[in-house]
Amino acid sequence: MSDYFDLERIIHGKRHETPFQWGELTQIWRNRDVASTLAHEFPTDGFNYRERNGGYFYRRTLIPLASGKVSDTTTLSDAWQGMCNELVSDDFTAALSAFCGADLSEFKMEAVAFRGGRDTHYLPHVDASLTRGFRLIIYFNGEWEESWGGAFQILNPENHADVCHSVLPIMGNASVIIRNGFYETWHA
């Protein structure tokens, strides 16, 4: 049983096969109190604060790729440490495996926390460091309007101006990029 994540919602998230394998998770927190605590205690120590394309954001790799361990727990509150420990738990791996329809125990995983300002924009990229595995991006913005831009966008690999899907970076949402071999996972 999970104290932080609603594992059933993760299992039944929306998985996409086009233009590549990726997932869209909504309402991932077990309850509002959990979400509120994590949002209130959002750490900035150990995060990368970046200003790019007229916007700013905080981004932190919580679980470095293929490490299976939480990075630098000394800068995290007890609630954040508990959440991160669930990310590397067998129950969480089993839930993501069920969601992906594949055994992820052998896959590399990276988990990232993200909170940005309303003018945040990431340029199109492919996450070249991820050749086999999955990247979980968890969003911690309290509010977000679609008109602000800055949504997580899945792009057509042959035409990066063509947005195939979009996910608002708000609390309760997460995105999963799944790679099992080399193909272009263009997103912004």
Side-chain angles (χ1 to χ4, degrees):
M1 181 161 163
S2 170
D3 291 330
Y4 293 87
F5 295 98
D6 185 331
L7 297 179
E8 283 299 312
R9 287 200 173 269
I10 289 171
I11 290 168
H12 299 292
K14 189 171 186 177
R15 195 170 112 207
H16 301 268
E17 299 295 328
T18 57
F20 53 83
Q21 292 182 15
W22 73 282
E24 179 178 358
L25 306 175
T26 59
Q27 299 178 4
I28 62 172
W29 303 114
R30 187 166 174 75
N31 61 50
R32 273 186 182 228
D33 291 339
V34 165
S36 178
T37 298
L38 292 171
H40 178 70
E41 295 179 8
F42 185 89
T44 55
D45 288 348
F47 274 64
N48 290 325
Y49 175 78
R50 297 181 183 170
E51 291 187 58
R52 216 181 253 174
N53 306 317
Y56 67 89
F57 59 91
Y58 288 97
R59 180 191 185 280
R60 177 171 174 172
T61 301
L62 301 170
I63 315 297
L65 187 60
S67 75
K69 296 179 182 173
V70 181
S71 175
D72 193 14
T73 59
T74 61
T75 62
L76 300 175
S77 70
D78 289 345
W80 273 72
Q81 287 183 41
M83 178 200 67
C84 289
N85 287 333
E86 280 192 14
L87 286 171
V88 296
S89 72
D90 291 341
D91 288 344
F92 191 83
T93 300
L96 266 182
S97 292
F99 167 71
C100 292
D103 179 9
L104 298 180
S105 60
E106 303 277 323
F107 270 50
K108 296 186 246 178
M109 176 182 114
E110 180 177 76
V112 174
F114 181 91
R115 185 179 77 184
R118 68 184 286 175
D119 293 322
T120 299
H121 297 279
Y122 246 98
L123 295 175
H125 61 286
V126 294
D127 289 345
S129 64
L130 182 67
T131 56
R132 184 174 187 272
F134 63 99
R135 179 166 287 129
L136 174 67
I137 306 164
I138 306 170
Y139 304 107
F140 288 92
N141 291 306
E143 63 181 2
W144 202 272
E145 297 291 328
E146 194 167 354
S147 63
W148 296 350
F152 177 79
Q153 297 176 328
I154 298 296
L155 307 176
N156 179 339
E158 295 173 13
N159 176 3
H160 304 159
D162 181 15
V163 176
C164 300
H165 300 281
S166 195
V167 177
L168 291 181
I170 58 173
M171 190 74 180
N173 286 353
S175 301
V176 182
I177 296 175
I178 305 161
R179 282 185 86 168
N180 189 8
F182 179 79
Y183 46 89
E184 294 187 332
T185 55
W186 284 96
H187 58 282

